[in-house]
């Protein structure tokens, strides 16, 4: 029997601990392993699951589980990587939503198709990349995005969405919202395509990469070198979720008005900030948290990573509630000192 015809695998009372990078304990009443578009349609047509609330789980690297999940959990495991076509300017590459993101980035480079190297080593799956518009070292996935396929969880119909329809923003997309036509919980991303420009130029504007140029004396790195630099920078700063449970940056970098920023700089001249094209200013949340003395601290079994205050970690056996308690304490102290409300980046369930 071919895999698309094989019955989908369904588990009852399944542990999600292994399926979230924080390693938090939670039980899914029903867990469906989705390996094809046909599986999504089977769920939609299912007499019981069809009408039940769904929770879509990718690599589990951007979620904080604080309780058991009553919704039917769709664990997206759709495989496949291919070059779809070549245009005059770009290669269009595609991956199944269940592919590991970093593995996909490495594969594109092995095909001789650079463009995603700044996004190396970001944990999670390909299907999750557009949801939170992942970004690192001066590149966001929207900068290379071509289109994606998704299956509607009510009608079972397949749709193809372009970048405009995805409404990408800083760590944001239509898939994170339920209002104004948002698609959160309503649509399952099954495949994502990227356009990798043939006229490749390294993106080296980020401070950490400029440091690498200075260190190595190599001002014209090829894509593989940028990939290696990004991996080295991330390994030095960010905990490997396979070793220490975490969900990457726990808060978004807040954006404030120029006036508000001037006021804050007046009080704290050291504050790390980046002017945005629209006149507003983005502040480094990691710096704000660090300035409040949180780096390396713990509340219960949840802690603030020693080398990057923006990352909360599971020190072993933490519950989702402990992580949320720590996050709230951080939000309060940053608000108390700077008057800025930090917004969590992962989805809190
Ligand atoms: N900083 C501190 N103390 C800290 C942490 C940071 O002073 O404990 C300062 C740094 O020295 C630096 C500035 O804050 O001057 C920014 O830090 P960093 O370059 O490490 O980047 P970030 O703003 O903390 C963002 C993304 C990361 C991404 C990096 C690199 C967000 C929420 N986070 O972090 O994304 O890898 O830039 O592009 O935008 C993620 O989303 O999960 C993630 C890891």
């Amino acid at each position: 029997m071919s895999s698309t015809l094989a019955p989908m695998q369904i588990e009852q009372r399944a542990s999600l601990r292994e399926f979230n990078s924080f390693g938090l304990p939670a039980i899914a009443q029903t867990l469906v392993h989705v390996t094809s578009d046909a599986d999504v349609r089977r769920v939609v047509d299912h007499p019981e699951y069809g009408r039940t609330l769904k929770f879509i789980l990718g690599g589990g690297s951007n979620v904080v589980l604080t309780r058991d999940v009553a919704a039917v959990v769709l664990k997206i495991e759709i495989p496949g990587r291919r070059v779809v076509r070549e245009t005059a300017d770009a290669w269009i590459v595609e991956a199944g939503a269940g592919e590991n993101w970093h593995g996909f980035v490495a594969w594109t480079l092995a095909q001789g198709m650079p463009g995603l190297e700044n996004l190396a080593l970001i944990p999670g799956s390909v299907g999750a990349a557009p949801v939170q518009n992942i970004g690192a070292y001066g590149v966001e996935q929207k900068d290379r995005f071509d289109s994606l396929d998704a299956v509607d969880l009510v009608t079972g119909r397949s749709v193809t969405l372009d970048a405009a329809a995805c409404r990408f923003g800083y760590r944001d997309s239509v898939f994170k919202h339920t209002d104004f036509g948002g698609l959160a919980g309503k649509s399952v991303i099954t495949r994502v395509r990227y356009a990798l420009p043939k006229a490749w130029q390294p993106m080296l504007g980020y401070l950490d990469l400029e440091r690498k140029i200075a260190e190595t004396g190599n001002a014209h790195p090829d894509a593989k070198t940028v990939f290696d630099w990004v991996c080295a920078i991330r390994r030095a700063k960010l905990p490997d979720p396979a070793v220490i449970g975490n969900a990457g940056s726990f808060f978004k970098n807040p954006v404030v008005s120029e006036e508000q920023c001037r006021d804050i700089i007046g009080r704290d001249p050291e504050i790390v900030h980046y002017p945005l094209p629209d006149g507003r200013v983005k502040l480094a949340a990691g710096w704000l948290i660090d300035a409040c003395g949180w780096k390396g601290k713990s509340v219960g079994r949840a802690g603030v990573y020693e080398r990057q205050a923006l990352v909360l970690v599971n020190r072993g056996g933490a519950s989702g509630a402990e992580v949320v308690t720590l996050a709230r304490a951080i939000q309060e102290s940053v608000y108390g000192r700077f008057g800025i409300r930090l917004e969590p980046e992962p989805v809190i369930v």
Side-chain angles (χ1 to χ4, degrees), residues 124-135:
S125 61
V126 168
V131 175
Q132 51 157 340
N133 186 28
I134 58 171

Side-chain angles (χ1 to χ4, degrees), residues 170-172 176 250-254 285 310 342-345:
Y170 167 58
R171 294 297 188 277
D172 197 27
K176 284 187 95 170
F250 198 92
F251 299 101
K252 292 186 191 183
N253 284 328
L310 196 49
L342 292 181
E343 199 188 316
E345 211 245 290

Side-chain angles (χ1 to χ4, degrees), residues 135-138 170-171 206 208 234 237-238 247-249 251-253 272 274 284 286-287 290 295 307-310 345:
Y137 310 103
Y170 167 58
R171 294 297 188 277
Y206 202 89
D208 286 334
R234 291 188 75 96
K237 263 194 190 179
L238 298 167
S249 299
F251 299 101
K252 292 186 191 183
N253 284 328
V272 178
Y274 320 92
W287 187 92
D290 199 357
K295 202 185 256 179
R307 279 178 267 162
Q308 162 56 293
L310 196 49
E345 211 245 290

Side-chain angles (χ1 to χ4, degrees), residues 49-339:
Y49 308 148
R51 275 164 295 158
T52 318
L53 207 64
K54 320 283 188 307
F55 178 75
I56 302 157
L57 185 63
S61 56
N62 205 44
V63 60
V64 184
L65 297 171
T66 62
R67 55 189 159 87
D68 292 345
V69 186
V72 173
V73 176
L74 305 183
K75 186 165 180 299
I76 309 304
E77 298 171 0
I78 299 169
R81 297 188 293 224
R82 65 185 181 118
V83 180
V84 182
R85 63 177 191 277
E86 188 178 339
T87 68
D89 313 321
W91 292 287
I92 311 297
V93 293
E94 177 185 88
E99 290 288 335
N100 172 267
W101 172 263
H102 177 72
F104 174 56
V105 172
W107 175 84
T108 55
L109 290 176
Q111 307 307 301
M113 298 170 186
L116 296 177
E117 57 283 345
N118 292 49
L119 305 179
L121 222 56
I122 295 182
S125 61
V126 168
V131 175
Q132 51 157 340
N133 186 28
I134 58 171
Y137 310 103
V139 177
E140 287 184 342
Q141 71 88 48
K142 79 171 167 56
D143 303 330
R144 305 278 181 261
F145 183 84
D146 175 72
S147 56
L148 61 78
D149 298 335
V151 179
D152 187 294
L153 276 173
V154 175
T155 63
R157 253 181 246 135
S158 295
V159 289
T160 295
L161 302 185
D162 63 10
C166 292
R167 293 194 232 146
F168 293 125
Y170 167 58
R171 294 297 188 277
D172 197 27
S173 77
V174 74
F175 299 99
K176 284 187 95 170
H177 298 270
T178 48
D179 48 359
F180 304 112
L183 295 174
K186 292 183 188 159
S187 181
V188 174
I189 296 169
T190 53
R191 270 173 303 281
V192 188
R193 285 172 292 278
Y194 291 95
L196 305 179
K198 290 181 179 172
W200 176 82
Q201 290 285 334
M203 297 289 287
L204 302 168
Y206 202 89
L207 185 67
D208 286 334
L209 289 170
E210 284 169 4
R211 278 199 198 116
K212 284 283 176 199
I213 295 173
E215 251 170 64
T216 60
N218 181 1
H220 303 283
D222 61 11
K224 177 65 171 58
T225 303
V226 177
F227 175 90
D228 290 340
W229 286 354
V230 168
C231 289
I233 293 164
R234 291 188 75 96
R235 288 199 173 105
K237 263 194 190 179
L238 298 167
D240 176 356
V243 183
I244 304 171
N246 75 91
S249 299
F250 198 92
F251 299 101
K252 292 186 191 183
N253 284 328
V255 175
V256 298
S257 69
E258 208 180 339
E259 200 184 353
Q260 211 181 345
C261 184
R262 225 178 295 128
D263 186 43
I264 296 168
I265 292 174
R267 281 180 282 138
D268 281 281
E270 309 273 88
I271 194 165
V272 178
H273 61 286
Y274 320 92
L276 297 177
D278 64 5
R280 293 182 305 159
V281 183
K282 191 183 263 191
L283 306 177
W287 187 92
L288 299 173
I289 298 166
D290 199 357
C292 292
W294 279 104
K295 202 185 256 179
K297 293 272 165 62
S298 295
V299 169
R301 292 163 291 181
V304 180
Y305 191 54
E306 285 69 13
R307 279 178 267 162
Q308 162 56 293
L310 196 49
V311 177
L312 303 194
V313 295
N314 182 347
R315 301 229 184 263
S319 66
E322 281 174 295
V323 173
V324 170
T325 301
L326 171 61
R328 290 218 179 100
I330 292 171
Q331 282 170 313
E332 271 168 35
S333 69
V334 168
Y335 186 74
R337 170 148 174 206
F338 298 102

